[in-house]
């Protein structure tokens, strides 16, 4: 071996295909999804009879006093005009739904005059109502209502549309789709999406000194840094509990503080008595352990989320509230400028309007402007709950979220903005989760899941199973840029909603699921392959940083180590060549 020089060449190819950029660029514009002529059904109609109404009202029925009629526009578009009786249309179509299926729903909606917020729902024998989704209906243009449902029991169901904002307006409906998927079909789609948006194709080649392919070379691959952020909340207990710190830092690189940065903590007792001891210590901990943190939260839209000494503030204290709120923003934002990757600025300000009620309708926008002026490099977030968790909730629903973004822009906030989805689940509908994120993605803003947990209503094993399904669904969606769980450890299971360990940091079922997911996404057991006769070994890897070891029988006791990255775009070059002499 010493008498002969052998040259081995390792070439890494990143196959990009049509992958979208992993980091969505900040977009100050927002285009309302509204068309003069609707597109066809998203899933080809599915089990809907006569989805595009080319056969008049065949398959469509009515009951009660409401009316429906078929119309054809000058451009040949067919649609139903459904009058509203008691805020609801009469039933428009009957279905037989199955409990083991997942249903994706879509329809194009317009209203006869004005604007109205419209929901589509299914009435079943076992449930009063199963809401598929919501849409902002407008006169003169078509908007897509996109959602999904699951049902608790198989049986008949009737489709309705409903509004409580403009009950005198007729609802126009066309291109309706209800597509059933088996669990296997849904999982297959997730897997395909993960391959497309989270992975890159990697090709290795080993050749000798004459560029001849070398077969049977072993390529061993280890991930050193994942690209997709999966993190968890932590609290002050981690500062004095080495076991907590060890358990946490061995799993997570991203975090957020549970309560330590909130206004209620840093200025708790009285106005002007500001104390940053806890968040300072927490931030020092994250830095010393190489953790990346989100900032939660500057202000809160609900009165109870702010210090108790503000409890009696009313419109009569308007000027004083402006003064103390501005002081809070200036204080916390300047102290921690550029030390967090995100800031939740006015938490839950779609559900709660305490600040707007006292300070005026532009209050949130004013604070976002101020926060952006102080810390312009940090991404500022809206942060809401029940946007993807509950299809029945109108206030935080995806279209309302889009309207909130438009409101901020209209009121003059032009800085960077992110969509925060808290994701506190009590039950789940995977089709609704997917459709809701699709709708939100039309804003072309960064989307993060910020506080994920799952309630334990039906036992620990079911809680863990639901957590795994939700994690996989979120990870599979190209628009989700990171996931933060909300499972801060507390003694005796006193977590907010979901614990991952017991008091001795032994994993619960949910913790086992998290470890399983981390191991899968980070290739904890490594990836290994052997070059074929042409000297090539191909594989697909999650985006991130890696090390590759090349072993061959001509290199007894030796291996060749190379470091490389797999990213959505290789801007400098598409092929990286490693050439090593032995």
């Amino acid at each position: 071996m010493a008498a002969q020089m052998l040259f081995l060449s390792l070439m890494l190819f990143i196959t990009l295909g049509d992958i979208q950029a992993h980091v969505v660029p900040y977009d100050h514009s927002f285009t309302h999804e509204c068309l003069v002529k609707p597109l066809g059904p998203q899933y080809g109609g599915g089990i809907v009879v006569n989805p595009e109404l080319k056969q008049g009202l065949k398959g469509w029925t009515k009951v009660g006093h409401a009316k429906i009629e078929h119309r054809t526009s000058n451009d040949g578009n067919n649609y139903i005009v459904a009058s509203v009786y008691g805020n609801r249309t009469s039933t428009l179509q009957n279905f037989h739904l199955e409990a083991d299926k997942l249903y994706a729903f879509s329809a194009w909606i317009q209203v006869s005059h004005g604007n109205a917020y419209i929901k589509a729902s299914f009435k079943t024998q076992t449930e009063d109502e199963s809401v598929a989704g919501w849409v902002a209906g407008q006169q003169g243009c078509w908007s897509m209502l996109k959602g999904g449902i699951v049902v608790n029991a198989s049986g008949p169901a009737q489709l309705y549309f409903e509004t409580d904002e403009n009950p005198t307006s007729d609802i126009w409906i066309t291109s309706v789709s209800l597509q059933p998927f088996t669990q296997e079909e849904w999982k297959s789609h997730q897997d395909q999406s993960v391959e497309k948006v989270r992975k890159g194709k990697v090709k290795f080649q080993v050749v000798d000194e004459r560029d001849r392919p070398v077969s049977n070379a072993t390529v061993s691959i280890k991930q050193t840094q994942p690209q997709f952020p999966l993190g968890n909340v932590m609290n002050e207990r981690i500062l004095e509990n080495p076991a907590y710190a060890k358990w946490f830092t061995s799993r997570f690189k991203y975090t957020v503080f549970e309560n330590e940065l909130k206004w209620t903590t840093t200025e708790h007792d009285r106005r002007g008595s500001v104390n940053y001891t806890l968040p300072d210590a927490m931030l020092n901990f994250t830095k010393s352990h190489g953790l990346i943190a989100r900032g939660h939260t500057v202000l809160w839209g609900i009165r109870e989320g702010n210090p108790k000494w503000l409890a009696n503030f009313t419109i009569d204290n308007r000027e004083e509230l402006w003064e103390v709120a501005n002081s809070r923003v200036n204080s916390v934002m300047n102290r921690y400028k550029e030390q967090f990757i995100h800031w939740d600025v006015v938490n839950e300000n779609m559900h709660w309007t305490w600040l707007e009620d006292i300070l005026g309708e532009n209050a949130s926008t004013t604070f976002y402007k101020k926060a952006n002026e102080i810390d312009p490099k940090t991404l500022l977030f809206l942060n809401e709950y029940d946007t993807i968790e509950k299809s029945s909730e109108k206030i935080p629903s995806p279209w309302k979220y889009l309207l909130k973004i438009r409101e901020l822009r209209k009121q003059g906030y032009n800085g960077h903005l992110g969509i925060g989805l808290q994701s506190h689940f009590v039950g789940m509908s995977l089709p609704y989760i997917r459709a809701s994120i699709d709708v939100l993605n039309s804003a072309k803003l960064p989307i993060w899941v910020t506080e994920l947990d799952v309630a334990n209503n039906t036992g620990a094993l079911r809680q863990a199973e639901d957590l795994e399904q939700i994690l996989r669904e979120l990870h599979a969606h190209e628009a989700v840029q990171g996931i933060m769980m909300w499972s801060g450890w507390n003694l005796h299971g006193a977590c907010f909603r979901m614990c991952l360990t017991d008091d001795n940091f032994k994993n619960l079922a949910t913790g086992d699921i998290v470890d399983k997911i981390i191991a899968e996404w980070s290739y904890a057991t490594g990836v290994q392959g052997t070059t074929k006769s042409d000297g090539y070994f191909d594989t697909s890897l999650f985006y991130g940083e890696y090390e590759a070891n090349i072993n061959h029988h001509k290199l007894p006791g030796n291996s060749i180590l190379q470091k490389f990255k797999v990213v959505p775009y290789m801007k400098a070059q598409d092929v990286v060549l490693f050439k090593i002499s032995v």
Side-chain angles (χ1 to χ4, degrees), residues 230-254:
L230 175 63
N232 191 22
V233 69
M234 68 181 188
N235 57 46
E236 62 184 284
R237 291 181 180 275
I238 204 167
L239 300 175
E240 298 178 354
N241 191 319
Y244 183 11
K246 180 180 180 181
W247 179 89
F248 191 98
T249 57
S250 66
R251 288 163 171 80
F252 304 111
K253 295 298 181 185
Y254 288 80

Side-chain angles (χ1 to χ4, degrees), residues 417-530:
L417 189 64
I419 295 173
L421 304 173
Q422 291 187 12
S423 304
H424 299 293
F425 284 92
V426 180
M428 66 173 181
S429 169
L430 295 182
Y432 184 74
I433 294 172
R434 183 177 298 180
S436 297
I437 298 174
D438 284 347
V439 172
L440 291 167
N441 196 32
S442 67
K444 300 305 177 188
L445 296 173
I447 297 175
W448 275 63
V449 172
T450 56
E451 303 180 18
L452 172 64
D453 58 26
V454 180
N456 182 358
N457 291 338
T458 54
L461 291 179
R462 179 59 185 273
Q463 180 190 30
E465 291 171 358
D466 288 352
L467 175 62
E468 179 174 6
Q469 288 195 58
I470 293 168
L471 280 169
R472 293 191 182 281
E473 181 65 39
L474 295 170
H475 181 250
H477 202 294
E478 65 177 350
V480 176
Q481 295 190 11
I483 300 173
M484 301 293 297
M485 291 178 292
W486 201 260
S487 185
W489 178 77
N490 275 292
L491 287 167
H492 313 305
C495 311
F496 175 71
R497 180 175 288 171
M498 181 181 75
C499 292
L500 298 180
T501 77
D502 62 15
D503 288 354
N504 298 312
F505 298 96
K506 180 180 178 181
N507 273 0
L508 302 174
T510 47
D512 286 341
I513 289 298
V514 171
D515 281 356
K516 173 184 175 181
I517 291 289
I518 291 174
E520 180 181 327
W521 295 352
S522 64
Y523 300 110
T525 58
V527 178
Q528 191 172 88
T530 304

Side-chain angles (χ1 to χ4, degrees), residues 55-74:
Q55 302 176 62
L57 290 175
K58 179 182 178 180
W60 299 89
T61 62
K62 75 177 186 71
V63 294
H65 299 282
K67 299 177 181 179
I68 62 172
E69 61 177 283
H70 174 268
R71 291 184 187 174
T72 303
S73 61
N74 293 333

Side-chain angles (χ1 to χ4, degrees), residues 401-415:
Y401 210 127
L402 295 181
L403 293 175
K404 185 66 176 180
I405 294 169
R406 176 181 287 183
E407 176 185 286
L408 285 175
R409 297 305 194 202
K410 186 177 179 180
Q411 292 174 353
Y413 177 66
N414 296 313

